[in-house]
Amino acid sequence: MYFENDKELFKTIGNNLRIFRKNANLTQAQLAEAVGISISYLSKIEAINCDKSISLSILNQIANFLEVDIIDFFKGE
């Protein structure tokens, strides 16, 4: 995997996160509550023009809750 810049990286993670969350039939509120983050933070991560970084710890918690491999968040379209 290669990302030209942070914006591309954050966009890929946010897009994949949104897809996995929707595939699990969860709202942002449900996922945020389950992993102990604010809805505002989660919505910023999922935003198309996201420039918000996410900690690996939070990303790991989300991956575990959604039962997906953390590496899948980094895969491009």
Side-chain angles (χ1 to χ4, degrees):
M1 281 165 266
Y2 175 80
F3 298 97
E4 290 261 333
N5 52 50
D6 289 347
K7 187 172 178 94
E8 184 182 326
L9 170 65
F10 300 150
K11 182 179 177 181
T12 299
I13 291 171
N15 185 54
N16 287 331
L17 173 53
R18 184 175 45 262
I19 290 167
F20 295 137
R21 177 182 58 77
K22 287 183 175 186
N23 286 346
N25 294 315
L26 294 170
T27 64
Q28 286 183 335
Q30 291 168 321
L31 180 57
E33 182 178 342
V35 297
I37 60 175
S38 70
I39 299 168
S40 160
Y41 181 54
L42 181 59
S43 69
K44 286 177 185 171
I45 295 167
E46 286 189 4
I48 297 213
N49 58 351
C50 174
D51 61 356
K52 183 90 173 158
S53 65
I54 182 171
S55 77
L56 286 176
S57 175
I58 295 295
L59 191 59
N60 186 57
Q61 290 175 47
I62 292 171
N64 289 343
F65 184 79
L66 295 175
E67 297 179 345
V68 298
D69 193 328
I70 195 169
I71 195 125
D72 290 339
F73 287 107
F74 300 93
K75 293 181 178 176
E77 296 175 30

